[in-house]
Amino acid sequence: MSSEPVIAVRGVSKSYRVYNHPLQRLLSRFTGSCIGRHKEFHALRDVSFDVHKGETVGILGRNGSGKSTLLQIICGIRQPTTGTVSVKGRVSALLELGSGFHPEYTGRENIFLQGSVVGLDRAEIIARFDDIAAFADIGEYIDQPVHTYSSGMFLRLAFAVGIAVEPDILILDEALAVGDAAFQAKCFRKIGMLKEGGVAILFVSHSTEQISRLCDSAILLDDGALICRGDTDKTIREYLPRLFEVADSRSRQPDPSDVASCYRYDLGAAEAFCHRPGYCPTEHRWGTHDARIVDFSITLTSEDAASQEPRLKQMRVELVIRFFREVLYPIYGITLKTKDGIALFGTNSTEIGQKNSVPVRSQSPGTEVRICFGLSLPLCAGAYLLSVGVVDASCEGLVPLDRRYDSILIEVAYPPALQGMVDMNPSFSYIAH
């Protein structure tokens, strides 16, 4: 990775004047803001970071956190109110689906239009046209006006043009949120090839799994400010509590005048969870703590323990949860992931309960409930992380009560001869002619 950044953002802020009435905006224009009341909206606040050649950086943040504004400033579409941005190399950006496409032009005509915008001459576009059309794979629609395209077709053509210009910097703003699975897989393979070729990539997504899989590091924006920049998993852990607007459990302090609060934290000291085999001390825990997951046990059973290559057949996850206020509709959930953050499976008590006709049980303050998830999960040898949680669905939206993220390590030592993550129980034989 080059020591000199290809993108250098220094102290960038962006603010807008917000008027209560259009006449106030008009008066402000004519009087130099002497008349015309307004307030300042700060989309970005003193943001600084670098991106180097060959680095893929994910950008996380809730809606309205300033992600799109930041990308527009990096691309030169908007100018910062204060601060500077230095960009070295050719930039290809997919900021909004079909942005820059003329709706009345055909796909073919828009390819030439977009190519000329990024500095390619006609001969270069002609030389790359067949590759663009092949990657987009929209058939005869290449000669139809793009206003007739579906969102998936827009994505196909826009992404194909974006990568065909051989950029030094590729910027993707939720560009892969639409499209079929096969095309998304093709895009991810291409992104990997571009990365290996030294292309710097800025990738905005609400999918923490995509960020974890694709990115070397990540940035978290909240209310226009840069909260953290660095390790991908660490940034994701900071992002998740903010997504649900719940303060990190580490910053929550009991109120001495609140009897229930003191009761809550006295009980917390007696939790057995962190003393069980498999507990992962690097877990990230957050939520309101009006309920707490205080204990767990994991039981793995094989198909035939006496076999030379036993195969994992069942996993039983038992959890103990204490409640400190009334919760009319508690939902319990689990997610199993690889160590690099790829989700293998996730479910919750509501999904399973509706399928198996298991009624929801409300919980009162001071009660303790023991629950169990049984899974048929044939895993290959490797290390896996289990996240567990309980939320309150009694009111509007989901309120996380206790989320223990990557809290349990599950190690599978067999079967050693298989590759991948899932044991498909393969067989082989010759068929006689």
Side-chain angles (χ1 to χ4, degrees), residues 238-295:
E238 291 292 334
Y239 165 66
L240 289 174
R242 296 174 186 273
L243 184 63
F244 289 94
E245 298 183 335
V246 176
D248 193 304
S249 62
R250 291 170 295 183
S251 65
R252 183 182 175 94
Q253 299 295 327
D255 182 356
S257 64
D258 183 353
V259 176
S261 178
C262 295
Y263 173 62
R264 174 186 304 131
Y265 281 86
D266 287 344
L267 279 180
E271 293 180 6
F273 196 103
C274 61
H275 302 293
R276 297 301 186 194
Y279 170 69
C280 189
T282 59
E283 70 163 334
H284 184 59
R285 189 177 188 183
W286 50 280
T288 66
H289 285 178
D290 291 318
R292 295 172 72 93
I293 304 173
V294 297
D295 200 3

Coordinates of all heavy atoms in Angstrom, one line a residue, residues 238-295:
E238 N -19.1 -0.2 16.9 CA -19.5 1.2 17.4 C -20.8 1.6 16.6 O -21.6 2.4 17.1 CB -18.4 2.2 17.1 CG -17.2 2.0 17.9 CD -17.5 2.4 19.4 OE1 -18.4 3.2 19.6 OE2 -16.8 1.9 20.3
Y239 N -21.0 1.1 15.4 CA -22.1 1.5 14.6 C -23.4 0.9 15.0 O -24.5 1.6 15.0 CB -21.8 1.1 13.1 CG -23.0 1.1 12.2 CD1 -23.6 2.3 11.8 CD2 -23.5 -0.1 11.6 CE1 -24.7 2.3 10.9 CE2 -24.5 -0.1 10.7 CZ -25.1 1.1 10.4 OH -26.2 1.1 9.5
L240 N -23.4 -0.4 15.4 CA -24.7 -1.1 15.7 C -25.5 -0.4 16.8 O -26.7 -0.2 16.7 CB -24.4 -2.5 16.0 CG -24.0 -3.4 14.8 CD1 -23.6 -4.8 15.3 CD2 -25.1 -3.5 13.8
P241 N -24.9 0.0 17.9 CA -25.7 0.6 19.0 C -26.3 2.0 18.5 O -27.5 2.3 18.8 CB -24.8 0.9 20.1 CG -23.7 -0.1 19.9 CD -23.5 -0.2 18.4
R242 N -25.6 2.7 17.7 CA -26.1 4.0 17.1 C -27.2 3.7 16.1 O -28.1 4.6 16.0 CB -24.9 4.7 16.5 CG -23.8 5.1 17.4 CD -22.6 5.8 16.7 NE -21.6 6.0 17.7 CZ -21.4 7.1 18.4 NH1 -22.3 8.1 18.2 NH2 -20.4 7.3 19.2
L243 N -27.2 2.6 15.4 CA -28.2 2.3 14.5 C -29.6 2.2 15.2 O -30.6 2.6 14.7 CB -27.9 1.0 13.8 CG -28.9 0.5 12.7 CD1 -28.9 1.5 11.5 CD2 -28.5 -0.9 12.2
F244 N -29.6 1.7 16.4 CA -30.8 1.6 17.2 C -31.0 2.7 18.2 O -31.8 2.7 19.1 CB -30.8 0.3 18.0 CG -31.0 -0.9 17.1 CD1 -29.9 -1.6 16.6 CD2 -32.3 -1.3 16.7 CE1 -30.1 -2.7 15.7 CE2 -32.5 -2.4 15.9 CZ -31.4 -3.1 15.4
E245 N -30.1 3.7 18.1 CA -30.1 4.9 19.0 C -30.1 4.5 20.5 O -30.9 5.0 21.3 CB -31.3 5.8 18.7 CG -31.4 6.3 17.3 CD -32.5 7.2 17.0 OE1 -33.6 7.0 17.7 OE2 -32.4 8.1 16.2
V246 N -29.3 3.6 20.8 CA -29.1 3.1 22.2 C -27.7 3.4 22.7 O -26.8 3.0 22.0 CB -29.4 1.6 22.3 CG1 -29.2 1.1 23.8 CG2 -30.9 1.3 21.9
A247 N -27.5 4.0 23.8 CA -26.2 4.3 24.3 C -25.5 3.0 24.6 O -26.0 2.0 25.0 CB -26.3 5.1 25.6
D248 N -24.2 3.0 24.4 CA -23.3 1.9 24.7 C -23.5 1.5 26.2 O -23.5 2.4 27.0 CB -21.9 2.2 24.4 CG -21.0 1.0 24.3 OD1 -21.0 0.3 25.4 OD2 -20.3 0.8 23.3
S249 N -23.6 0.2 26.4 CA -23.8 -0.2 27.8 C -22.6 0.2 28.7 O -22.8 0.3 29.9 CB -23.9 -1.8 27.8 OG -22.8 -2.4 27.3
R250 N -21.5 0.4 28.2 CA -20.3 0.7 29.0 C -20.5 2.1 29.6 O -19.9 2.5 30.6 CB -19.0 0.7 28.2 CG -18.6 -0.7 27.8 CD -17.5 -0.8 26.9 NE -17.9 -0.2 25.6 CZ -17.1 -0.1 24.5 NH1 -15.9 -0.6 24.6 NH2 -17.6 0.4 23.4
S251 N -21.3 3.0 29.0 CA -21.5 4.4 29.4 C -22.7 4.5 30.3 O -23.0 5.6 30.9 CB -21.6 5.3 28.3 OG -22.8 5.0 27.5
R252 N -23.5 3.4 30.5 CA -24.7 3.5 31.3 C -24.4 3.3 32.8 O -23.7 2.4 33.2 CB -25.7 2.4 30.8 CG -27.0 2.4 31.6 CD -27.9 1.3 31.1 NE -29.1 1.2 31.8 CZ -30.2 1.8 31.4 NH1 -30.2 2.5 30.3 NH2 -31.3 1.6 32.1
Q253 N -24.8 4.3 33.6 CA -24.5 4.2 35.0 C -25.8 4.1 35.8 O -26.8 4.8 35.4 CB -23.7 5.4 35.5 CG -22.3 5.6 34.8 CD -21.4 4.5 35.1 OE1 -21.5 4.0 36.3 NE2 -20.5 4.1 34.2
P254 N -25.8 3.4 36.9 CA -27.1 3.3 37.7 C -27.3 4.5 38.5 O -26.4 5.2 38.9 CB -26.8 2.1 38.6 CG -25.3 2.0 38.7 CD -24.8 2.5 37.4
D255 N -28.6 4.8 38.6 CA -29.0 6.0 39.5 C -29.2 5.5 40.9 O -30.1 4.6 41.1 CB -30.3 6.5 38.9 CG -30.8 7.8 39.7 OD1 -30.2 8.1 40.7 OD2 -31.8 8.3 39.3
P256 N -28.4 6.0 41.9 CA -28.5 5.5 43.2 C -29.9 5.6 43.8 O -30.3 4.9 44.7 CB -27.5 6.3 44.0 CG -26.5 6.8 42.9 CD -27.4 7.0 41.7
S257 N -30.7 6.6 43.3 CA -32.0 6.8 43.9 C -33.1 5.9 43.3 O -34.2 5.9 43.7 CB -32.5 8.3 43.6 OG -32.6 8.5 42.2
D258 N -32.7 5.1 42.3 CA -33.6 4.2 41.6 C -33.4 2.8 42.1 O -32.4 2.2 41.8 CB -33.3 4.3 40.1 CG -34.3 3.4 39.3 OD1 -35.1 2.7 39.9 OD2 -34.2 3.5 38.0
V259 N -34.3 2.3 42.9 CA -34.2 1.0 43.5 C -34.0 -0.1 42.5 O -33.2 -1.0 42.6 CB -35.4 0.7 44.5 CG1 -35.3 -0.7 45.0 CG2 -35.4 1.8 45.6
A260 N -34.9 0.0 41.4 CA -34.8 -1.0 40.4 C -33.5 -1.0 39.7 O -32.9 -2.0 39.3 CB -35.9 -0.8 39.4
S261 N -32.9 0.2 39.5 CA -31.6 0.3 38.9 C -30.5 -0.4 39.7 O -29.7 -1.1 39.2 CB -31.2 1.8 38.6 OG -30.0 1.9 38.0
C262 N -30.5 -0.1 41.0 CA -29.5 -0.7 41.9 C -29.7 -2.2 41.9 O -28.7 -3.0 41.8 CB -29.6 -0.2 43.3 SG -29.2 1.6 43.4
Y263 N -31.0 -2.7 41.9 CA -31.3 -4.1 41.9 C -30.7 -4.7 40.6 O -30.1 -5.8 40.6 CB -32.8 -4.3 42.0 CG -33.3 -5.7 41.8 CD1 -33.0 -6.7 42.7 CD2 -34.2 -6.0 40.8 CE1 -33.4 -8.0 42.6 CE2 -34.7 -7.3 40.6 CZ -34.3 -8.2 41.5 OH -34.8 -9.5 41.3
R264 N -30.9 -4.0 39.5 CA -30.4 -4.5 38.2 C -28.9 -4.7 38.2 O -28.4 -5.8 37.8 CB -30.7 -3.4 37.1 CG -30.2 -3.7 35.8 CD -30.4 -2.6 34.8 NE -31.8 -2.3 34.7 CZ -32.3 -1.1 34.8 NH1 -31.5 -0.1 35.0 NH2 -33.6 -0.9 34.8
Y265 N -28.1 -3.8 38.7 CA -26.7 -3.9 38.7 C -26.1 -4.8 39.7 O -25.1 -5.4 39.5 CB -26.0 -2.5 38.7 CG -26.2 -1.8 37.4 CD1 -27.3 -1.1 37.0 CD2 -25.2 -2.0 36.4 CE1 -27.4 -0.5 35.8 CE2 -25.3 -1.4 35.2 CZ -26.4 -0.7 34.9 OH -26.5 -0.1 33.6
D266 N -26.8 -5.0 40.9 CA -26.4 -5.9 41.8 C -26.5 -7.3 41.3 O -25.6 -8.2 41.4 CB -27.2 -5.8 43.1 CG -26.9 -4.6 43.9 OD1 -25.8 -4.0 43.7 OD2 -27.7 -4.2 44.8
L267 N -27.6 -7.6 40.6 CA -27.8 -8.9 39.9 C -26.8 -9.1 38.8 O -26.3 -10.2 38.6 CB -29.2 -9.0 39.4 CG -30.3 -9.4 40.4 CD1 -31.6 -9.4 39.6 CD2 -30.0 -10.7 41.1
G268 N -26.4 -8.1 38.1 CA -25.5 -8.2 37.0 C -24.1 -8.7 37.5 O -23.4 -9.4 36.7
A269 N -23.7 -8.4 38.7 CA -22.5 -8.8 39.2 C -22.4 -10.3 39.4 O -21.3 -10.9 39.4 CB -22.2 -8.1 40.6
A270 N -23.5 -11.0 39.5 CA -23.6 -12.4 39.7 C -23.7 -13.2 38.4 O -23.9 -14.4 38.5 CB -24.7 -12.8 40.7
E271 N -23.6 -12.6 37.3 CA -23.8 -13.2 36.0 C -22.7 -14.3 35.8 O -21.5 -14.1 36.1 CB -23.7 -12.3 34.8 CG -24.9 -11.3 34.8 CD -24.9 -10.3 33.7 OE1 -24.0 -10.5 32.8 OE2 -25.7 -9.4 33.6
A272 N -23.2 -15.5 35.3 CA -22.2 -16.6 35.0 C -21.8 -16.6 33.6 O -20.9 -17.4 33.3 CB -22.9 -17.9 35.4
F273 N -22.3 -15.8 32.7 CA -22.1 -15.8 31.3 C -20.6 -15.8 31.0 O -20.1 -16.6 30.2 CB -22.8 -14.6 30.6 CG -22.9 -14.7 29.1 CD1 -24.2 -15.0 28.6 CD2 -21.9 -14.5 28.3 CE1 -24.3 -15.1 27.2 CE2 -22.0 -14.5 26.9 CZ -23.2 -14.9 26.4
C274 N -19.9 -14.8 31.6 CA -18.5 -14.7 31.2 C -17.5 -15.7 31.8 O -16.3 -15.7 31.5 CB -18.0 -13.3 31.6 SG -18.1 -12.9 33.4
H275 N -18.1 -16.6 32.6 CA -17.2 -17.7 33.2 C -17.4 -19.0 32.5 O -16.8 -20.0 32.9 CB -17.5 -17.8 34.7 CG -17.3 -16.6 35.5 ND1 -16.1 -16.0 35.7 CD2 -18.2 -15.7 36.1 CE1 -16.2 -14.9 36.4 NE2 -17.5 -14.7 36.6
R276 N -18.3 -19.1 31.5 CA -18.6 -20.3 30.8 C -17.5 -20.6 29.7 O -17.0 -19.7 29.1 CB -19.9 -20.3 30.1 CG -21.1 -20.1 31.1 CD -21.1 -21.2 32.1 NE -22.3 -21.1 33.0 CZ -22.5 -21.8 34.1 NH1 -21.5 -22.6 34.5 NH2 -23.6 -21.7 34.8
P277 N -17.2 -21.9 29.5 CA -16.3 -22.3 28.4 C -16.9 -21.8 27.0 O -18.0 -21.9 26.7 CB -16.3 -23.8 28.4 CG -16.7 -24.2 29.8 CD -17.7 -23.1 30.2
G278 N -16.0 -21.1 26.3 CA -16.4 -20.6 25.0 C -16.7 -19.1 25.0 O -16.9 -18.5 24.0
Y279 N -16.8 -18.5 26.2 CA -17.0 -17.1 26.3 C -15.9 -16.3 25.6 O -14.7 -16.6 25.8 CB -17.2 -16.6 27.7 CG -17.2 -15.1 27.9 CD1 -18.3 -14.4 27.4 CD2 -16.2 -14.4 28.5 CE1 -18.4 -13.0 27.5 CE2 -16.2 -13.1 28.6 CZ -17.3 -12.4 28.1 OH -17.3 -11.0 28.2
C280 N -16.3 -15.3 24.8 CA -15.3 -14.5 24.1 C -15.2 -13.2 24.7 O -16.1 -12.3 24.7 CB -15.8 -14.4 22.6 SG -14.6 -13.6 21.5
P281 N -14.1 -12.9 25.4 CA -14.0 -11.7 26.2 C -13.9 -10.4 25.4 O -14.1 -9.3 25.9 CB -12.7 -11.8 27.0 CG -11.9 -12.9 26.2 CD -12.9 -13.8 25.6
T282 N -13.7 -10.5 24.0 CA -13.7 -9.4 23.2 C -15.1 -9.0 22.7 O -15.3 -8.2 21.7 CB -12.8 -9.6 22.0 OG1 -13.2 -10.7 21.2 CG2 -11.4 -9.8 22.4
E283 N -16.2 -9.6 23.3 CA -17.5 -9.4 22.8 C -17.8 -7.9 22.9 O -17.2 -7.1 23.7 CB -18.5 -10.1 23.7 CG -18.6 -9.6 25.1 CD -19.9 -10.1 25.9 OE1 -20.9 -10.4 25.2 OE2 -19.8 -10.2 27.1
H284 N -18.9 -7.4 22.2 CA -19.4 -6.1 22.3 C -20.8 -6.1 22.8 O -21.7 -6.7 22.2 CB -19.3 -5.3 21.0 CG -19.7 -3.9 21.0 ND1 -19.1 -3.0 21.8 CD2 -20.7 -3.2 20.4 CE1 -19.6 -1.8 21.7 NE2 -20.6 -1.9 20.8
R285 N -21.0 -5.5 24.0 CA -22.4 -5.7 24.6 C -23.0 -4.3 24.7 O -22.4 -3.3 25.1 CB -22.2 -6.3 26.0 CG -23.5 -6.6 26.7 CD -23.3 -7.3 28.1 NE -24.5 -7.8 28.6 CZ -24.6 -8.4 29.8 NH1 -23.5 -8.5 30.6 NH2 -25.7 -8.8 30.3
W286 N -24.3 -4.3 24.3 CA -25.0 -3.0 24.4 C -26.5 -3.2 24.5 O -27.0 -4.3 24.3 CB -24.7 -2.1 23.2 CG -24.8 -2.8 21.8 CD1 -23.9 -3.7 21.3 CD2 -25.9 -2.8 20.9 NE1 -24.4 -4.1 20.1 CE2 -25.6 -3.6 19.8 CE3 -27.1 -2.1 20.9 CZ2 -26.4 -3.7 18.7 CZ3 -28.0 -2.2 19.8 CH2 -27.6 -3.0 18.8
G287 N -27.2 -2.2 24.8 CA -28.7 -2.2 25.0 C -29.1 -1.4 26.2 O -28.3 -0.8 26.9
T288 N -30.4 -1.4 26.5 CA -30.9 -0.6 27.7 C -30.6 -1.4 29.0 O -30.6 -0.7 30.1 CB -32.4 -0.4 27.6 OG1 -33.0 -1.7 27.7 CG2 -32.7 0.3 26.3
H289 N -30.4 -2.7 28.9 CA -30.2 -3.5 30.1 C -31.4 -3.6 31.0 O -31.3 -3.9 32.2 CB -28.9 -3.1 30.9 CG -27.6 -3.4 30.2 ND1 -26.4 -3.1 30.7 CD2 -27.4 -4.1 29.1 CE1 -25.5 -3.5 29.9 NE2 -26.1 -4.1 28.9
D290 N -32.6 -3.4 30.5 CA -33.8 -3.7 31.2 C -34.0 -5.2 31.2 O -34.9 -5.6 31.9 CB -35.0 -2.9 30.5 CG -34.9 -1.4 30.7 OD1 -34.5 -1.0 31.8 OD2 -35.1 -0.7 29.8
A291 N -33.3 -5.9 30.5 CA -33.2 -7.4 30.6 C -31.7 -7.7 30.3 O -31.0 -7.0 29.5 CB -34.1 -8.1 29.6
R292 N -31.3 -8.8 30.9 CA -29.8 -9.1 30.7 C -29.7 -10.6 30.5 O -30.4 -11.4 31.1 CB -29.0 -8.7 31.9 CG -28.9 -7.2 32.2 CD -28.2 -6.9 33.5 NE -26.8 -7.2 33.4 CZ -25.9 -6.3 33.1 NH1 -26.2 -5.1 32.8 NH2 -24.6 -6.6 33.1
I293 N -28.9 -11.0 29.5 CA -28.6 -12.4 29.2 C -27.5 -12.8 30.2 O -26.3 -12.3 30.0 CB -28.2 -12.6 27.8 CG1 -29.3 -12.1 26.8 CG2 -27.9 -14.1 27.5 CD1 -28.9 -12.2 25.4
V294 N -27.8 -13.6 31.2 CA -26.8 -13.8 32.3 C -26.1 -15.1 32.3 O -25.1 -15.3 33.0 CB -27.6 -13.6 33.7 CG1 -28.1 -12.2 33.8 CG2 -28.7 -14.7 33.8
D295 N -26.5 -16.0 31.4 CA -25.9 -17.3 31.4 C -26.2 -18.0 30.0 O -27.2 -17.7 29.4 CB -26.4 -18.2 32.5 CG -25.4 -19.4 32.8 OD1 -24.3 -19.4 32.2 OD2 -25.7 -20.2 33.7

